[in-house]
Amino acid sequence: MKKFEDSYRHKGLRKKLVDNIRSKGITDERVLHAIDTIPRHFFLDSAFEDKAYEDKAFPIAEGQTISQPYTVAYQSQLLEIKPFEKVLEIGTGSAYQASVLAEMGVQVYTIERQKKLFDQNRRFKYLDKYRNIKFFYGDGYEGLPTYAPFDKILITAAAPEIPSKLIKQLKPGGLMVIPVGTGDVQRMMRITKQPSGSMKEEVFDNFSFVPMIGGKKD
Ligand code: SAH
């Protein structure tokens, strides 16, 4: 049985992690504060608990991964989060990224296509803290038309191309952050839906994500 205990040792390791990602170029203090606050070791299998504060991705259930803290921080920073915004996340996974956004004071809508991961998060007591996260089991390519439009959309799996249905669910002036590519590495992109309706595309660094796959899995 996994114990949920956030010790001084964990807190100390977390401070070091924050210093580490700051030195890699993350400057958004609200992102850094969220990472400093959230016990990442709660989100990992006990086998990896000791490594939770290394700046690395780790396996979670169903062959998926919890993103590297630097990647979480990088995507969160590109989103230019402001409190009370509505943010759609595709790929809940461990729910660590969703918790970082929730800690930053936004309303998070997060979709996971794997039923087991979705169910696991429903039983994950720590997440009760974040009443501002709504969890959905479904295909992220469809988004959430009932809750649209969103101020921000974050994709945390590698997309072969920019999903057009999701662009439709973005508010004018809204941003989408998405790793695009089909190979081992993808390009981080930021798409801005300009008030005129035209799209501005910016390209950032390379990252490596698990693929975004259409349809749901039981
Ligand atoms: N944000 C996560 C990262 C998880 S890895 C975290 O903080 O841990 C990417 C996740 O995207 C995986 O759990 C995978 O199952 C999910 N995924 C892939 N394609 C998807 C789709 N079409 N819709 C919803 N989730 C998807």
Side-chain angles (χ1 to χ4, degrees):
M1 184 64 189
K2 195 170 152 68
K3 274 199 283 175
F4 291 100
E5 189 191 316
D6 193 24
S7 68
Y8 282 110
R9 190 178 70 88
H10 289 124
K11 291 191 173 88
L13 291 169
R14 214 144 63 227
K15 287 253 175 297
K16 287 201 178 124
L17 172 65
V18 168
D19 290 345
N20 181 0
I21 57 181
R22 196 193 289 277
S23 73
K24 291 177 179 167
I26 302 300
T27 52
D28 185 327
E29 288 300 328
R30 276 175 314 126
V31 173
L32 294 165
H33 182 259
I35 290 176
D36 193 28
T37 307
I38 301 168
R40 187 173 185 250
H41 63 284
F42 289 1
F43 294 76
L44 295 174
D45 289 346
S46 353
F48 295 103
E49 219 195 276
D50 280 351
K51 297 177 181 290
Y53 298 104
E54 291 179 17
D55 189 20
K56 287 185 183 151
F58 288 104
I60 55 170
E62 304 303 300
Q64 302 303 315
T65 54
I66 175 172
S67 300
Q68 185 181 341
Y70 173 68
T71 308
V72 171
Y74 193 98
Q75 290 198 294
S76 305
Q77 175 161 294
L78 283 181
L79 282 172
E80 296 178 351
I81 294 296
K82 292 173 200 74
F84 308 114
E85 285 182 330
K86 266 171 79 181
V87 183
L88 173 65
E89 182 199 21
I90 310 301
T92 316
S94 69
Y96 178 72
Q97 169 75 74
S99 301
V100 167
L101 295 172
E103 188 63 44
M104 293 172 75
V106 299
Q107 180 64 52
V108 184
Y109 299 76
T110 184
I111 313 179
E112 174 55 56
R113 69 178 287 276
Q114 301 240 23
K115 185 76 164 54
K116 285 202 181 118
L117 293 177
F118 171 78
D119 287 340
Q120 219 171 309
N121 285 324
R122 280 210 295 205
R123 293 190 300 265
F124 184 5
K125 280 279 162 226
Y126 176 76
L127 297 178
D128 294 352
K129 174 180 174 187
Y130 295 118
R131 308 299 293 271
N132 51 339
I133 308 179
K134 283 190 168 66
F135 294 89
F136 298 85
Y137 166 53
D139 177 2
Y141 276 107
E142 299 299 322
L144 291 172
T146 346
Y147 295 90
F150 298 94
D151 297 290
K152 308 284 161 72
I153 299 182
L154 173 61
I155 319 288
T156 70
E161 58 200 44
I162 293 154
S164 56
K165 284 188 184 166
L166 296 184
I167 292 287
K168 287 205 182 77
Q169 295 178 28
L170 205 52
K171 278 187 196 171
L175 301 177
M176 174 187 286
V177 172
I178 176 168
V180 184
T182 47
D184 288 346
V185 290
Q186 303 87 41
R187 277 271 179 206
M188 193 65 78
M189 294 186 65
R190 180 165 64 185
I191 318 297
T192 307
K193 190 182 220 174
Q194 290 172 315
S196 65
S198 67
M199 301 299 156
K200 179 176 117 187
E201 292 189 3
E202 296 167 280
V203 179
F204 297 91
D205 296 330
N206 283 338
F207 289 86
S208 188
F209 285 82
V210 297
M212 181 167 175
I213 301 168
K216 292 193 278 187
K217 186 171 178 292
D218 287 344

